[in-house]
């Protein structure tokens, strides 16, 4: 049974389209608590790249970003220079936007400073939800917010530390993706899996 067949038989969040890449992302990653610094950096880059675009557009370029950004090795990205920026601007596998490319490098440097201060980016970023996922109980997509007091606080602090593309809306999308909040609808097949240790 392929993913498209499964899609028609199981209930998912309404934003998950009938695309195999989207289905896998929804079922296996979105809303699952993440504490791995490399993945946390990866999604910081990807969420920033998404600004003004559809998330599926970014998912389809995810491998392109991995190839272009040394597997999201934050130490290597932090050392990128103008030659690397020009290379990335000619890389069809990613979003070729100078501001977004530069922000990825800037954020890598800020990310490392956070790691040095807190021991890990994980220890820093999860403090905004008291190191435990917020389990929501949404019935419809209309109930799901685009910002919260937690994302506001995160955005304010990230910006203070020099992070770019760190507005509250981007921060909340990041929180959703990294499982800091469980915003699967209660009717979704992934809701209980993501909430099982907390409800």
């Amino acid at each position: 049974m392929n993913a498209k067949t499964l899609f028609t038989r199981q209930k998912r969040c309404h934003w998950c389209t009938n695309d195999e890449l989207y289905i896998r992302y929804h079922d296996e990653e979105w809303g699952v608590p993440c504490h791995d610094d490399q993945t946390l950096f990866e999604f910081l880059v990807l969420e920033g790249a998404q600004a003004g675009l559809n998330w599926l557009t970014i998912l389809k370029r995810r491998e392109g970003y991995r190839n272009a950004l040394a597997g999201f090795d934050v130490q290597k990205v932090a050392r990128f220079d103008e030659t690397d920026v020009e290379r990335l601007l000619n890389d069809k596998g990613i979003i070729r936007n100078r501001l977004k490319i530069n922000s990825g490098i800037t954020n890598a440097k800020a990310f490392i400073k956070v790691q040095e201060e807190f021991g890990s980016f994980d220890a820093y970023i999860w403090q905004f939800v008291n190191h435990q996922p917020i389990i929501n109980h949404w019935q419809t997509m209309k109930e799901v917010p685009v910002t919260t007091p937690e994302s506001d606080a995160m955005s304010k602090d990230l910006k203070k530390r020099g992070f770019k593309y760190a507005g509250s809306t981007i921060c909340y999308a990041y929180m959703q993706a990294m499982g800091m909040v469980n915003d699967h609808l209660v009717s979704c097949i992934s809701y209980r899996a993501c909430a099982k240790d907390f409800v």
Side-chain angles (χ1 to χ4, degrees), residues 9 14 34 47 52 61 64 85 100 132 136 142 149 171 174 179:
R9 296 188 180 183
H14 299 164
C34 174
E47 292 291 352
R61 287 170 171 78
V85 172
K100 291 180 179 180
Q132 181 170 300
N136 290 315
K142 290 181 180 179
C171 284
Y174 182 76

Side-chain angles (χ1 to χ4, degrees), residues 94-165:
I94 68 171
I95 303 301
R96 294 177 288 173
N97 176 293
R98 187 179 290 273
L99 288 176
K100 291 180 179 180
I101 289 169
N102 282 328
S103 75
I105 300 169
T106 297
N107 289 351
K109 294 173 182 176
F111 192 98
I112 291 169
K113 288 182 180 178
V114 167
Q115 288 179 315
E116 291 170 349
E117 180 180 347
F118 290 86
S120 68
F121 191 79
D122 169 59
Y124 162 75
I125 205 70
W126 276 84
Q127 69 178 328
F128 293 101
V129 291
N130 294 319
H131 302 282
Q132 181 170 300
I134 296 170
I135 308 300
N136 290 315
H137 309 281
W138 311 125
Q139 302 289 331
T140 68
M141 292 303 298
K142 290 181 180 179
E143 297 175 76
V144 182
V146 294
T147 64
T148 61
E150 291 82 6
S151 69
D152 291 344
M154 181 189 296
S155 174
K156 183 178 179 180
D157 200 70
L158 285 171
K159 288 178 179 178
K160 184 177 71 175
R161 293 174 181 276
F163 286 85
K164 305 298 182 184
Y165 283 92

Side-chain angles (χ1 to χ4, degrees), residues 7-78:
F7 183 87
T8 63
R9 296 188 180 183
Q10 302 188 72
K11 193 161 186 177
R12 291 174 172 82
C13 297
H14 299 164
W15 56 261
C16 182
T17 62
N18 192 12
D19 179 285
E20 291 186 22
L21 190 63
Y22 227 175
I23 293 169
R24 285 199 306 272
Y25 172 67
H26 171 276
D27 291 3
E28 299 171 12
E29 292 187 87
W30 196 77
V32 177
C34 174
H35 296 282
D36 173 69
D37 268 22
Q38 186 167 347
T39 305
L40 289 167
F41 175 64
E42 174 179 352
F43 274 83
L44 198 65
V45 172
L46 296 178
E47 292 291 352
Q50 186 210 353
L53 301 171
N54 183 287
W55 181 242
L56 187 56
T57 299
I58 302 303
L59 277 184
K60 288 179 177 178
R61 287 170 171 78
R62 192 173 181 181
E63 284 304 315
Y65 272 98
R66 283 180 178 149
N67 293 331
L69 300 180
F72 291 103
D73 184 319
V74 68
Q75 294 287 341
K76 291 181 180 178
V77 175

